[in-house]
Amino acid sequence: MQAYCRDGFLIVTGCFSFAVPLCWVSVCLAGRCSVPLVGSPVPGTLLVLSDWPCVHRALGLYVKGNMADPWQECMDYAVTLAKKAGEIIRGALKEEKSIMIKSSPVDLVTETDQKVENFIISLIREKYPSHSFIGEESVAAGGGSILTDSPTWIIDPIDGTTNFVHRFPFVAVSIGFVVNKKIEFGIVYSCVEDKMYTARRGKGAFCNGQKLKVSGQEDITKSLLVTELGSNRDPETIKIVLSNMERLLSIPIHGIRAVGTAAVNMCLVAAGGADAYYEMGIHCWDMAGAGIIITEAGGVLLDASGGPFDLMSRRIIAASSRPIAERIAKALQIIPLKRDDATN
């Protein structure tokens, strides 16, 4: 059996072959026994294994720790990028902003939105060239938003752009990672608050390392809800939005709050600060990062109609319990919307 280095990997050949990052193996072995590779780890240099059992153990640890969760590295990278993006946003908050409009005079975008999205996507594409992307500003510029089974990064560079424009201190970077149309992990970085919300499917939800848990409230009359008025200024849509609020307040409930960002609203539910969030008219990039944070904190996602949650439907109920989610759905009048993945 022989091994050689190439492009930073240890390539092992023999009765079976495989490759492992050389830096990982070297670090792993250094703390356990003598390094089992004879020769200089120069790309293309043939190496001889002098202690195969040690390498076998190291590779076993690598497979167990990394192959068992192939997306953990992606998640770690997303956290790093979200922090760096947050630094860009915090710096831009102090500066004059070039403001443009998209679908309506209140649907805003700034140069910073575009700069942050380009920053995130370019670095991810460099590291993971086979992955797909759906980004808010890319879609606004004419890019597609069709969700396939491929590993897909769904990015909102600044969730809460209107807040950002007015320096209202709730602004977030949202990154969701979807494989086979299932959200694998989500990152929401509320950068003014310096709160990093994270969740990995099956491994829980956290804020700055502290485990999150929803309130568990099941009685709608004791609940505090969060929602948004949205950016649609069509009179009929506004009537439905306000009528839905009136219906919920009349149940009665304790109250309704809005902080101006869908992702942070959902994270507040995940943290137990509110009992449910609902909205119609948002997009997949508003929901992908925080949706899994809700479920990993013990919450429930439903469609606004009461059916199963659909990431591309542009509507959501995120609640601390199913009874509250279903009661909200019962009260809502549905707003007709074009899906994110509609082709025309």
Side-chain angles (χ1 to χ4, degrees):
M1 183 172 291
Q2 292 181 320
Y4 63 91
C5 291
R6 187 176 66 202
D7 299 331
F9 283 83
L10 170 66
I11 313 296
V12 180
T13 61
C15 56
F16 57 91
S17 302
F18 47 84
V20 173
L22 181 63
C23 59
W24 190 94
V25 175
S26 299
V27 171
C28 177
L29 296 177
R32 288 169 170 76
C33 63
S34 60
V35 177
L37 304 178
V38 178
S40 175
V42 176
T45 301
L46 187 67
L47 303 174
V48 180
L49 300 181
S50 61
D51 187 0
W52 167 245
C54 184
V55 174
H56 184 272
R57 288 194 298 274
L59 297 180
L61 288 170
Y62 176 82
V63 170
K64 181 178 180 181
N66 292 271
M67 297 309 291
D69 187 356
W71 309 125
Q72 184 61 48
E73 180 190 69
C74 294
M75 181 174 174
D76 294 342
Y77 193 51
V79 170
T80 299
L81 292 181
K83 287 180 179 178
K84 291 180 179 178
E87 292 174 5
I88 296 172
I89 294 167
R90 284 195 298 268
L93 275 168
K94 305 170 186 176
E95 302 170 356
E96 288 297 318
K97 302 166 186 65
S98 175
I99 303 167
M100 296 156 278
I101 63 172
K102 294 190 289 187
S103 63
S104 78
V106 296
D107 186 10
L108 308 179
V109 63
T110 71
E111 290 179 348
T112 306
D113 293 78
Q114 298 165 339
K115 178 181 179 180
V116 170
E117 183 170 308
N118 290 336
F119 166 78
I120 294 172
I121 290 180
S122 64
L123 289 176
I124 295 174
R125 182 172 280 131
E126 182 179 322
K127 191 173 180 68
Y128 304 108
S130 66
H131 290 189
S132 300
F133 300 88
I134 298 175
E136 178 177 7
E137 307 315 327
S138 303
V139 172
S145 57
I146 302 299
L147 185 62
T148 68
D149 289 337
S150 300
T152 303
W153 300 75
I154 303 180
I155 298 163
D156 191 343
I158 300 181
D159 190 34
T161 298
T162 302
N163 288 356
F164 172 72
V165 167
H166 291 274
R167 296 187 176 90
F168 190 73
F170 295 97
V171 178
V173 180
S174 176
I175 302 174
F177 185 73
V178 181
V179 183
N180 295 321
K181 298 184 177 69
K182 293 182 179 179
I183 306 174
E184 290 292 336
F185 67 74
I187 308 294
V188 174
Y189 181 41
S190 184
C191 53
V192 178
E193 301 178 282
D194 193 24
K195 290 185 176 180
M196 180 68 74
Y197 297 91
T198 63
R200 174 74 179 94
R201 187 155 65 93
K203 296 187 177 181
F206 301 84
C207 178
N208 292 349
Q210 298 297 309
K211 191 170 178 62
L212 297 176
K213 184 174 176 58
V214 296
S215 68
Q217 179 62 254
E218 296 188 351
D219 185 347
I220 190 75
T221 67
K222 297 177 181 178
S223 67
L224 178 68
L225 310 187
V226 281
T227 190
E228 297 294 333
L229 296 174
S231 59
N232 191 325
R233 293 298 181 262
D234 172 69
E236 290 303 313
T237 300
I238 293 172
K239 284 181 183 178
I240 296 173
V241 170
L242 296 177
S243 174
N244 283 338
M245 294 179 72
E246 182 180 4
R247 293 181 192 190
L248 290 164
L249 288 167
S250 298
I251 289 176
I253 61 174
H254 281 180
I256 297 177
R257 302 289 184 266
V259 299
T261 148
V264 173
N265 281 335
M266 281 189 268
C267 289
L268 289 171
V269 175
D275 302 300
Y277 162 75
Y278 74 91
E279 191 170 355
M280 290 175 275
I282 55 176
H283 295 274
C284 59
W285 48 81
D286 297 305
M287 302 183 282
I292 193 169
I293 296 172
I294 288 280
T295 55
E296 287 298 318
V300 175
L301 297 181
L302 289 183
D303 183 78
S305 67
F309 171 66
D310 180 348
L311 181 59
M312 308 305 283
S313 71
R314 300 186 58 203
R315 54 198 199 192
I316 189 172
I317 299 172
S320 61
S321 68
R322 182 167 289 274
I324 282 186
E326 291 175 343
R327 182 63 184 87
I328 292 171
K330 185 178 178 181
L332 294 179
Q333 178 183 346
I334 299 300
I335 299 172
L337 297 163
K338 183 179 178 181
R339 293 175 56 87
D340 275 333
D341 54 4
T343 55
N344 52 43

